[in-house]
Amino acid sequence: MAAKNRKKNSSSVNQAAKASKSDMSPAVQEEQAAAEQAASAAAAHGTVAAGADDSADTGAGAVAEATVSVSAKPVAVLSDKNGQAKAMNVAEFGQHVLDNYSVLQSGWSAEFRKYHQTHNMEEVLAKLKEGMDGISCAYVDRHMMLCELAAGGSSVLVKNDLTWTDADRALLNHYQKLYDSGTVPFLNNVNLEWGSSVTNMYGMYDLPGEVINRVKGKNIIDGGGFIGDTITVFRHFFSESHVISFEPVGANFKELTTTFEDDIKAGHVEAINKGLGAEPGSLRVSKIQGERDSMATLTRDFQVDELYEQIEVITLDSFVKERNLEAGLIKLDVEGYEEPILEGARQTIIEQKPLLVIACYHNPHEFYELKGWLESLNLGYKFRLRRSCFGNPLYELVLIAWQE
């Protein structure tokens, strides 16, 4: 997962940042115009500021707290769904923005836009969507649109209707019903991102039952264990399985082993303080968040001298062979380093054909081309894109590959 500060849901909503309009459809331009109008009105007649804790996650379900300098003078006129005009003062207009718009942020949108501009996207999209269901294709289209919007600035206001797909809304409703019912106490003790990873079954919620059953009792490889959020999912749905979690960052590993101390002692979970890759060796991780860091990565350099960390890397193939393991599921969320790990797991994938759940949103190459790489192995895998959990709508998409 990305930007996983595990706190209760909260959001910091900045004033509108303008998105580039040159590549937007008329409908998208219309939505952006409303956001820009809100920002202009707030700047001219008062201030609309929101947020409680800038270090917390932004995303769906977040709670925005507004402090408004009120002017009774109308600053905007909007049309409702029936075409009736409604005048709003700055407080009303600011609240309208808070209620109907979300901040869209992505550190990678510029990379996606560059990919879009340098590739034949008609061919790329046709190849990616081939054989995938409607939910998957909707995720592809929505992600591409949101990347274009997000490329307009570091923080862009986008109307809520544009952020989530119909499948997302159904999953959010499912989460909310369980949360409100109190029947799953875990949900009331963690934030939306962590809780929804369980209610979404990390994207596996609608896989055929026989696919899930084939995993049960086999080993689950958790690549990018962080502090153990996905261990929660695996222990809940695959209680007969042994979970092996790889987490190379020292502070993350320490929190993981503390949180799951009982499961580790009981032999249900094994935590390994190493990274995975295409070949064994030693690599330098770049961090940005200090001690515990969900964004620690081998693919980017945050250039914070005191936050580099040297880690040991092994291949999954060598680990599986040495232990004589039967892998039922391989999950990877490693901040853009998924492809080298899969290369180092090639033999295991070919011989055992495990269920694969691979985060694919960190860079355009893996988003658009990872499916093609797996297809080139000619293993008869089927594919779909799903939402593993809820945070930023540009994040938390997983490519799921399985054999029927």
Side-chain angles (χ1 to χ4, degrees):
M1 301 182 186
K4 305 188 222 42
N5 295 314
R6 295 304 182 187
K7 300 183 180 180
K8 288 294 184 76
N9 299 331
S10 61
S11 177
S12 177
V13 183
N14 303 319
Q15 291 186 7
K18 296 182 180 180
S20 173
K21 295 182 178 180
S22 58
D23 300 319
M24 297 180 193
S25 67
V28 173
Q29 289 188 39
E30 182 178 350
E31 303 298 349
Q32 288 304 112
E36 293 173 19
Q37 186 183 18
S40 298
H45 298 278
T47 58
V48 180
D53 184 349
D54 286 346
S55 68
D57 294 335
T58 56
V63 178
E65 300 177 359
T67 302
V68 182
S69 177
V70 179
S71 168
K73 180 181 178 181
V75 298
V77 178
L78 299 182
S79 297
D80 62 20
K81 294 180 180 180
N82 298 319
Q84 298 298 311
K86 180 181 179 180
M88 295 183 180
N89 63 26
V90 66
E92 294 168 333
F93 199 23
Q95 192 61 51
H96 171 80
V97 173
L98 291 173
D99 290 342
N100 293 280
Y101 290 81
S102 296
V103 174
L104 187 64
Q105 297 174 314
S106 173
W108 311 311
S109 56
E111 295 178 37
F112 277 88
R113 174 178 258 190
K114 182 177 180 181
Y115 185 99
H116 298 162
Q117 294 171 341
T118 56
H119 289 73
N120 184 329
M121 291 309 298
E122 184 176 351
E123 293 181 2
V124 169
L125 293 173
K127 185 174 182 180
L128 176 59
K129 292 179 179 181
E130 185 178 5
M132 294 211 291
D133 64 3
I135 293 175
S136 302
C137 294
Y139 278 132
V140 172
D141 292 338
R142 186 63 54 97
H143 188 273
M144 186 172 179
M145 180 197 74
L146 291 177
C147 278
E148 291 296 310
L149 287 175
S154 59
S155 297
V156 178
L157 276 182
V158 177
K159 194 170 184 183
N160 291 336
D161 292 348
L162 297 177
T163 55
W164 305 111
T165 66
D166 290 342
D168 284 332
R169 293 188 184 93
L171 291 169
L172 283 165
N173 287 336
H174 174 61
Y175 165 88
Q176 195 63 51
K177 287 179 181 178
L178 289 174
Y179 183 94
D180 293 340
S181 73
T183 57
V184 186
F186 170 78
L187 300 182
N188 300 97
N189 294 312
V190 298
N191 69 357
L192 170 66
E193 190 174 351
W194 200 339
S196 61
S197 70
V198 175
T199 59
N200 290 13
M201 202 175 170
Y202 203 70
M204 297 178 284
Y205 61 89
D206 61 348
L207 279 175
E210 59 270 21
V211 176
I212 298 298
N213 289 335
R214 284 202 299 267
V215 175
K216 294 179 178 179
K218 296 179 181 178
N219 292 284
I220 294 176
I221 306 299
D222 179 25
F226 185 45
I227 60 172
D229 38 7
T230 42
I231 293 177
T232 304
V233 177
F234 300 140
R235 289 293 300 133
H236 183 76
F237 292 104
F238 304 101
S239 58
E240 307 97 330
S241 294
H242 181 62
V243 180
I244 305 171
S245 186
F246 290 85
E247 176 48 58
V249 175
N252 296 348
F253 181 78
K254 181 179 180 180
E255 188 163 344
L256 185 156
T257 53
T258 299
T259 302
F260 292 91
E261 182 178 6
D262 292 342
D263 282 313
I264 291 172
K265 287 181 177 178
H268 302 310
V269 173
E270 182 177 358
I272 297 177
N273 190 203
K274 297 178 181 178
L276 295 169
E279 56 187 27
S282 177
L283 295 173
R284 188 174 74 164
V285 169
S286 180
K287 300 191 296 181
I288 195 171
Q289 294 176 339
E291 285 296 311
R292 190 183 76 171
D293 195 338
S294 65
M295 297 180 68
T297 178
L298 292 166
T299 60
R300 288 177 172 82
D301 187 352
F302 296 120
Q303 298 182 346
V304 183
D305 291 342
E306 64 272 21
L307 295 183
Y308 290 116
E309 188 171 334
Q310 204 70 21
I311 66 167
E312 181 183 356
V313 174
I314 63 174
T315 70
L316 189 55
D317 280 342
S318 64
F319 181 83
V320 168
K321 183 177 181 180
E322 179 183 330
R323 298 284 194 92
N324 193 28
L325 296 177
E326 185 177 16
L329 186 157
I330 297 174
K331 164 260 170 181
L332 299 177
D333 186 351
V334 288
E335 302 304 307
Y337 203 66
E338 286 77 11
E339 289 178 280
I341 294 178
L342 289 171
E343 186 59 52
R346 177 191 288 261
Q347 203 60 36
T348 300
I349 295 171
I350 291 173
E351 293 177 356
Q352 301 193 24
K353 303 175 182 64
L355 172 63
L356 303 175
V357 184
I358 314 298
C360 62
Y361 57 88
H362 299 100
N363 62 67
H365 188 269
E366 67 180 14
F367 185 83
Y368 291 113
E369 300 181 32
L370 180 56
K371 173 175 175 274
W373 184 88
L374 289 168
E375 286 174 326
S376 72
L377 300 179
N378 296 315
L379 300 176
Y381 271 120
K382 291 186 175 295
F383 300 90
R384 62 178 48 164
L385 275 178
R386 289 295 185 267
R387 181 79 65 187
S388 60
C389 62
F390 287 98
N392 186 316
L394 281 169
Y395 300 165
E396 319 307 352
L397 288 173
V398 289
L399 179 68
I400 299 178
W402 78 98
Q403 277 203 324
E404 284 191 328

